[in-house]
Amino acid sequence: MTLKSVLFFLPAVAIGWLAAPTAQAQTVLWAAKVEAVSSQKAKGKEPFAPEKVLGEPNAQPLGQISNEAWIPAKDGSNEFIEVRFAKSLIAQQVTVIENFNPGSVTKIELVDIKGEHHEVYTNKNPGPLPESYRTLQVKFKPEKYRTIGVRVTMNTAKVEGVNQLDAIGIANVVVQMVKQDFKAPTKTDVETVQMDSTLKNLGPSVNSRYVDTHPVISPDGRTMFFARQFHPGNVGGARDPQDIWYSKLVSGKTQSWSTAKNLGTPPNGPEDPNGLASVSANGQVALLIGVYEDGLMQPKGFSLSRHTPGGWSVPQKVPIDNFINKDPEHIDGFLATSGKALLMAVERPDGQGGQDIFVSFPKPIPVGEQPDPKRVTQWTKPISLGPNINTPGADFAPFLASDDRTLYFASDGHGGYGRSDIFYSKRLDSTWTKWSVPRNLGPVVNSPDFDAYYTVSAAGDNAYLVSTRNGTDGSKDIFRIALAPAFKPEVVTLVQGKVLDAVTKKPIRAIIHYENLVTGEEIGVAESSPVDGSYTIVLPAGVQYGYRAEAVDYIAENASLDATAADKYTEKNQDLFMVPFKVGQKVKLNNIFFPQSKYYLQPSSFPELLRLVKILRDYPTVEILIGGHTDNQGDPALNLKLSEDRVEAVKKYLVSKGIDAKRLTTKGYGGTQPIASNDQEETRRFNRRVEFTITKK
C-alpha cells in the first residue's frame, strides 16, 4: 500500500456524524451530488443507486447489504464514483464509508474548483478487510486549492462479493467524522481504537540491532521467548546463526519487559540455528524446531525440552508418523495449548505447493501403561488444514490461540499488502480441515514488507509479531499491538496452581487432564513442573470442566469449573491434591453432583464415577467405604437420610458398571463431619460432599 497521506482505518459502526466545534469555524461536508459514475444497478431513489452515497452515513443494518448504499453494476478493476459538495473548503481529510465488503478502494482524488484532480490516497494491493474497518479516513496537510468534489476508484474484482459505498465526506479539520450511535463511547472504547491503530516496538530490552524474530508468548502473557540471529550473546558468539532468548514482563500496566537473557545450553548450541516454536501453558515444556542428534540440531522435525531443577533438558525428538519436509530450510510448528494438536508448516507431496500448514494428533497411550510426564508422545500422520488455509504459495508461522479454534498464520499466497501478511481464521469442526475464509488483519498489522510470527496471550488483549518496519538499525524487530475486537480469540479461563501430596503438601510431577463433564470428552492435557509442581491449563468458555492430576501411586482429588456462561477472560488459582494410594487414605469425589435436596446423580457426575470404576477394575482386591456428607442446614434427621441415599446412588452406579457390591460399603454422616464453616454458603458448600476411604488394598 502506498500512501500520499496519513491513513486511519477506524473500527466503525458509522451511522451518525461528528461535526467539529463551531467556535473554530470548522466544517464537515457530506456529498450532495453525483457528478459521474462508472456503473450502476439502479437510478435515482431506487435501492443501490449511486445517489445512495449522498448525505450522512445511513446504511443499515451495519456490515450487511443495504438498500441505502451504492452497488457498482460491474466487477472490475476501475469502478468509480465522483461526487460534489454543497460548497468548497480547504480540506484536511476525506472519509469514505464502505458499507459492505470493505477493502476495494484503490484511489481517492480531491477535485478542486477548477476541476483538477489531486490524488491523496493510493492502495496498490486491494483486498478484503474486516467489517470493523468499513470507515476509511485519510488525513493530510491542507493545500492552497479548495476542494469541491471527490472521486473514489475501486477494484471490486479484488474483494469477492457485493461491494457497497454508503457515504463520502470531507472536512477542514482532522476530527473523527463518524461515531458509534448504538452506545455512548467509553474510555475503554477510545483506548482500544487508539491502541488498535498503533504498532509499538518492544524497545531495547527485547529488540537489538540484530535480527530479533519469532516471538512466543506464554499463555499467561508474562514470559516471551524469541530468537536472535548472529548476536554476540549467542552461545557460539556472533557467528552463531540463531539462539533462543527470553524476557519477563515487568509491568503489565506499562507493558515493559526485562532485559532479555539467553536461554542457555541446552537447548542452544554453538553454530546451530536454534528456534522455539511454542511453549506449554505453564512455560515449562518447549517445542523446538529441529531434531538434536550427536549434539547438533538437524532440521528434520521437532523436539521437546522440559524445564527441570537443573535447567532445560536435552531435547527429545517428537516422533511423527510419515513426517516429510521437502524444504528442510523452512519449517515452523506449534503445539496447541490443549496438547491435543501439533501444527506444522512444511512442504509435503500432499500439499498445495511450497510450505503448507498440517496438523497431527497424539496417539493413545498403550493399554496398561502408567501415566508418566517423561513419556514421549507419538503423533499421527500429518493432514492438511485444507484449501481455505493453504495456497500454492508459502503458508507458514501457525499460531493457534488458547481457545483451540482461532488460527493466526502468515502467507504470501492469499494476497495482501506486502511480501507476507498475517491472516486470521476459525476452525469450524473437529476434523481440523474446515476453516472459515481467512481474513487479512489489515494495514495496521500488515505492511508492504515482511510481517509474520503473530502470537497472542490467553487474555487476547495483546498480540506480538515480527516486522521489518521501523526496526532497530533496519533489522527485524518484535512489536506489540492491541487486538481489534474483530480479531480476538474466544474467551478463556486460565487456571493455575500446584499439584500437591494431600498428606505432606509436597509438590508432585504429574499429568493434568481436563474434560467436558457433560460429554466426558477429554479436552486437553498438561504437565506440572518438576521444580515446584506448578501447572497451568486454559479452559475455553462454554463448557463445564473437570480436571485432575495423574501420577503413579496416587489417586487424584478432582476439581471443577463451570465456564458455560463465561463472557470475559479470567484467572483462577486452584491447587490439585493427590492422595497416596494406601489403606486408610480418604479421597474426596469433588465432581459428584446432585440436585438440591435430591439423591439422584446428575450426568456431569459420570466422568468422575467412571474413573473410580477404572481404579476398582485395575485393582481388583481394593475395597472402599463410600461416605456421604451434607451441611447443617435443616432437619439433622433428614440430612442424615439424604446423605445415606446419595451414597447408595453412587454404589448402585458402580455396581451397574460391573463392580462387585461386596467391595463397596456405604455410610451417611449427614452434617456431623464438616470440613469448612457452615456460617456462609461460600464455605458451606464444601461440606456437601461424597468421598471414599480405602479399607483394603
Side-chain angles (χ1 to χ4, degrees):
M1 177 180 292
T2 302
L3 303 183
K4 294 187 177 180
S5 57
V6 180
L7 166 65
F8 294 83
F9 281 90
L10 298 178
V13 276
I15 293 300
W17 58 275
L18 181 62
T22 56
Q24 300 181 30
Q26 298 171 342
T27 305
V28 171
L29 299 174
W30 296 99
K33 177 186 176 183
V34 175
E35 185 70 15
V37 66
S38 58
S39 64
Q40 59 191 71
K41 295 176 71 71
K43 298 181 180 180
K45 296 182 179 181
E46 297 176 6
F48 316 134
E51 284 74 11
K52 296 299 182 180
V53 302
L54 304 181
E56 302 168 16
N58 65 340
Q60 295 191 61
L62 299 173
Q64 298 184 33
I65 298 175
S66 171
N67 291 343
E68 301 304 316
W70 169 56
I71 297 178
K74 300 178 182 179
D75 191 16
S77 60
N78 196 35
E79 296 293 305
F80 70 89
I81 188 167
E82 186 170 317
V83 298
R84 294 290 185 266
F85 302 97
K87 59 181 180 180
S88 64
L89 54 74
I90 297 178
Q92 293 193 56
Q93 71 160 299
V94 58
T95 294
V96 177
I97 311 297
E98 297 182 83
N99 179 64
F100 192 71
N101 279 343
S104 67
V105 175
T106 57
K107 184 166 58 176
I108 300 177
E109 300 164 279
L110 302 184
V111 183
D112 65 20
I113 56 177
K114 296 180 180 180
E116 295 180 358
H117 289 62
H118 306 268
E119 186 174 303
V120 293
Y121 170 75
T122 303
N123 177 11
K124 294 182 179 180
N125 297 291
L129 291 175
E131 292 172 1
S132 57
Y133 291 90
R134 45 195 297 276
T135 298
L136 171 57
Q137 184 181 24
V138 182
K139 301 178 180 180
F140 39 81
K141 293 182 179 180
E143 300 289 350
K144 294 181 179 180
Y145 61 82
R146 298 184 67 86
T147 297
I148 190 67
V150 169
R151 184 183 181 102
V152 178
T153 304
M154 301 184 294
N155 186 345
T156 56
K158 291 293 186 179
V159 181
E160 184 178 353
V162 172
N163 308 101
Q164 283 196 302
L165 291 191
D166 177 23
I168 301 170
I170 57 173
N172 63 352
V173 289
V174 292
V175 298
Q176 184 176 328
M177 293 175 63
V178 294
K179 66 178 181 180
Q180 294 183 335
D181 270 7
F182 293 118
K183 64 177 182 178
T186 65
K187 181 180 179 182
T188 302
D189 293 329
V190 174
E191 289 176 348
T192 299
V193 170
Q194 291 172 346
M195 293 178 70
D196 285 346
S197 60
T198 304
L199 201 64
K200 296 184 182 295
N201 191 299
L202 291 192
S205 294
V206 172
N207 292 314
S208 67
R209 65 188 182 90
Y210 301 88
V211 171
D212 304 289
T213 186
H214 206 150
V216 174
I217 191 76
S218 61
D220 64 8
R222 298 182 180 100
T223 306
M224 179 181 294
F225 301 87
F226 62 98
R228 275 183 173 171
Q229 297 177 355
F230 301 103
H231 190 280
N234 286 353
V235 170
R239 293 180 301 174
D240 196 335
Q242 182 171 287
D243 268 11
I244 305 164
W245 292 62
Y246 71 97
S247 177
K248 295 282 188 178
L249 184 67
V250 176
S251 170
K253 186 175 182 180
T254 62
Q255 286 294 310
S256 55
W257 293 83
S258 67
T259 301
K261 295 181 180 180
N262 191 295
L263 197 62
T265 302
N268 292 324
E271 302 182 8
D272 280 337
N274 302 285
L276 187 148
S278 64
V279 66
S280 64
N282 66 351
Q284 300 295 305
V285 181
L287 178 71
L288 305 174
I289 301 293
V291 175
Y292 290 73
E293 298 174 341
D294 300 324
L296 297 175
M297 193 282 288
Q298 303 292 334
K300 299 178 181 178
F302 305 98
S303 298
L304 282 182
S305 179
R306 291 175 168 86
H307 195 223
T308 70
W312 289 88
S313 67
V314 174
Q316 292 179 287
K317 179 180 179 180
V318 175
I320 305 170
D321 286 355
N322 192 232
F323 177 82
I324 298 172
N325 185 19
K326 295 167 63 178
D327 182 4
E329 296 300 317
H330 295 92
I331 179 172
D332 288 317
F334 189 83
L335 181 59
T337 306
S338 67
K340 290 292 190 177
L342 175 61
L343 296 171
M344 63 197 78
V346 293
E347 184 176 345
R348 291 177 56 90
D350 48 346
Q352 300 287 322
Q355 267 184 296
D356 280 347
I357 302 175
F358 291 78
V359 62
S360 287
F361 307 105
K363 290 185 173 182
I365 297 176
V367 176
E369 187 171 318
Q370 294 294 317
D372 183 3
K374 297 179 182 179
R375 178 183 179 274
V376 178
T377 301
Q378 308 283 319
W379 294 85
T380 62
K381 175 184 175 181
I383 61 172
S384 171
L385 295 194
N388 263 12
I389 301 296
N390 294 317
T391 69
D395 307 287
F396 60 104
F399 174 86
L400 189 70
S402 295
D403 63 5
D404 224 34
R405 293 188 62 236
T406 305
L407 175 70
Y408 304 91
F409 67 101
S411 175
D412 63 15
H414 282 282
Y417 297 92
R419 289 197 294 132
S420 73
D421 276 11
I422 300 168
F423 293 82
Y424 156 104
S425 180
K426 287 277 191 181
R427 181 165 61 88
L428 301 178
D429 64 12
S430 60
T431 68
W432 291 76
T433 61
K434 296 178 182 178
W435 297 80
S436 66
V437 175
R439 300 168 67 183
N440 191 297
L441 293 193
V444 175
V445 170
N446 293 313
S447 71
D449 215 317
F450 177 89
D451 304 287
Y453 299 111
Y454 196 83
T455 180
V456 181
S457 65
D461 292 331
N462 292 304
Y464 302 86
L465 67 149
V466 172
S467 181
T468 55
R469 77 189 96 172
N470 301 321
T472 307
D473 293 340
S475 72
K476 292 177 182 176
D477 272 0
I478 299 170
F479 294 79
R480 174 180 64 86
I481 189 170
L483 269 74
F487 295 126
K488 284 188 175 184
E490 296 175 23
V491 169
V492 298
T493 298
L494 186 142
V495 182
Q496 293 178 309
K498 292 185 176 182
V499 180
L500 302 172
D501 185 303
V503 178
T504 66
K505 302 301 186 290
K506 291 182 178 180
I508 298 173
R509 185 177 183 181
I511 299 173
I512 293 90
H513 300 261
Y514 49 103
E515 65 191 355
N516 184 323
L517 279 181
V518 175
T519 65
E521 175 191 6
E522 184 170 270
I523 304 298
V525 293
E527 298 178 13
S528 65
S529 167
V531 178
D532 60 3
S534 62
Y535 78 95
T536 302
I537 56 176
V538 185
L539 308 178
V543 173
Q544 183 181 2
Y545 290 97
Y547 42 98
R548 70 192 187 280
E550 277 192 1
V552 177
D553 296 327
Y554 282 95
I555 300 175
E557 288 187 348
N558 298 349
S560 64
L561 175 74
D562 191 348
T564 306
D567 59 359
K568 64 180 180 180
Y569 172 78
T570 55
E571 295 186 3
K572 177 182 179 181
N573 290 316
Q574 174 77 64
D575 290 338
L576 298 179
F577 293 97
M578 304 200 72
V579 178
F581 199 170
K582 298 178 180 178
V583 172
Q585 293 296 325
K586 187 177 294 183
V587 182
K588 289 193 289 291
L589 296 170
N590 292 321
N591 292 339
I592 302 296
F593 304 100
F594 300 92
Q596 184 174 0
S597 302
K598 305 292 183 182
Y599 59 86
Y600 59 85
L601 291 163
Q602 292 187 324
S604 51
S605 306
F606 298 158
E608 176 95 89
L609 290 173
L610 286 173
R611 278 190 295 277
L612 180 53
V613 169
K614 185 177 185 303
I615 291 172
L616 294 171
R617 286 174 177 170
D618 291 344
Y619 300 91
T621 61
V622 165
E623 296 180 6
I624 62 174
L625 166 66
I626 308 169
H629 302 266
T630 68
D631 57 33
N632 68 349
Q633 303 298 291
D635 186 330
L638 292 178
N639 286 338
L640 178 62
K641 181 66 166 61
L642 179 63
S643 65
E644 292 172 343
D645 289 341
R646 284 180 170 177
V647 291
E648 281 300 318
V650 170
K651 178 179 179 179
K652 182 178 180 180
Y653 180 90
L654 298 176
V655 171
S656 74
K657 298 300 179 182
I659 304 302
D660 189 343
K662 295 179 181 179
R663 301 171 60 193
L664 309 173
T665 307
T666 63
K667 184 174 179 61
Y669 298 92
T672 61
Q673 295 185 4
I675 58 174
S677 171
N678 276 304
D679 294 339
Q680 299 178 0
E681 174 56 27
E682 184 178 352
T683 55
R684 189 163 53 235
R685 62 187 177 89
F686 295 113
N687 294 325
R688 302 188 293 266
R689 67 197 189 278
V690 174
E691 55 195 18
F692 71 88
T693 304
I694 301 172
T695 57
K696 180 181 177 181
K697 186 177 177 183

